[in-house]
Amino acid sequence: MKDEIQQLTDRYVRWLQDRTTLREVQDWVEITTPYLDRHNDHLQIYAQKADHGFLLTDDGYIVDDLEMQGCKLDSPKREALLKQTLNGFGVTLQRSSRALEVKASIENFPAKKHALIQAMLAVNDLFYLASPSVASFFMEDVITWLDERDIRYTRQVKFTGTSGYDHLFDFVIPKSRSQPERVLQAISKANKDSAQRLVFEWLDTRDVRPGNSKMYALLNDTEQSVPQGVREAFSNYEIEPVAWSERDEVLSQLAA
């Protein structure tokens, strides 16, 4: 099993390298990544030499795109969710430009680049609304459900995987007498890309967690059904897929 996971991890790193391209844009370098946004466009970030290292930014793309789609980040609760999410990756929001930014040194450039990309994906997923009429965010719904069911948890816990990359998980429920450590990830838009991302993050992390730790993928099926292929992908890698409409079926596993 360990050799198989190592091969998958190595394959993932090669995939990142092979599908990343660079282009000079004035005094910036545009980095096109293999990760896709909800428009199926490749995410791009920009790097520039700065004091004692580099400045990495999304040039305001993520926040501007959300707001153009009708998702305004104009309430204290939404601002707090955004800040909490970015803090988990060590990424900041520039108020004037609405850009997501992180500073990097030569030594930690790969990790900081990874953190910025993961923050972009997380913010995009966190605030994704299936339609402008949807009144609440999926993450808010998950937090409310956990609180109402008196499920104890720690929000946004970062684990370092065997690859050396950091991965941020939405919720961790500590071990109890009857249940092992449980890790929960809320996925507002379940598709192939979000499934592949979580599978890698869990495979990369699982070996550094207690041997019987369990991963749950909470899948938003409020506006559209969860594809069967997504469910199968999670199950194949020992991640339990939980449709939001079926969440109470795992209540006894999480509340214990």
Side-chain angles (χ1 to χ4, degrees), residues 84-194:
Q84 186 179 44
T85 300
L86 295 178
N87 285 346
F89 294 99
V91 172
T92 59
L93 173 68
Q94 286 297 322
R95 292 293 174 183
S96 58
S97 65
R98 310 295 278 167
L100 306 185
E101 294 183 354
V102 66
K103 293 182 179 179
S105 64
I106 294 176
E107 292 76 19
N108 66 15
F109 184 92
K112 293 296 184 179
K113 170 176 166 285
H114 177 76
L116 177 59
I117 294 169
Q118 294 302 305
M120 293 168 67
L121 291 167
V123 171
N124 185 75
D125 190 56
L126 176 64
F127 292 107
Y128 175 79
L129 300 179
S131 68
S133 62
V134 177
S136 63
F137 300 122
F138 183 50
M139 183 64 73
E140 293 179 14
D141 293 338
V142 174
I143 292 172
T144 299
W145 178 70
L146 292 172
D147 290 340
E148 289 178 346
R149 298 300 190 274
D150 200 25
I151 299 173
R152 68 197 192 286
Y153 60 84
T154 300
R155 279 279 286 126
Q156 293 196 312
V157 178
K158 185 183 293 183
F159 298 137
T160 301
T162 56
S163 67
Y165 286 123
D166 289 337
H167 305 292
L168 191 70
F169 295 100
D170 293 328
F171 308 93
V172 174
I173 301 173
K175 176 183 179 297
S176 68
R177 291 184 179 180
S178 59
Q179 292 288 341
E181 175 186 77
R182 288 138 291 174
V183 183
L184 281 63
Q185 196 76 351
I187 300 178
S188 63
K189 188 177 183 182
N191 54 28
K192 181 180 178 182
D193 291 330
S194 60

Side-chain angles (χ1 to χ4, degrees), residues 207-239:
D207 285 347
V208 302
R209 305 308 304 153
N212 58 352
S213 291
K214 296 181 65 176
M215 164 62 75
Y216 294 81
L218 302 177
L219 309 173
N220 187 6
D221 62 347
T222 303
E223 297 294 323
Q224 58 185 14
S225 61
V226 177
Q228 184 60 29
V230 170
R231 292 177 182 262
E232 292 175 354
F234 285 136
S235 297
N236 289 341
Y237 290 98
E238 300 180 359
I239 297 173

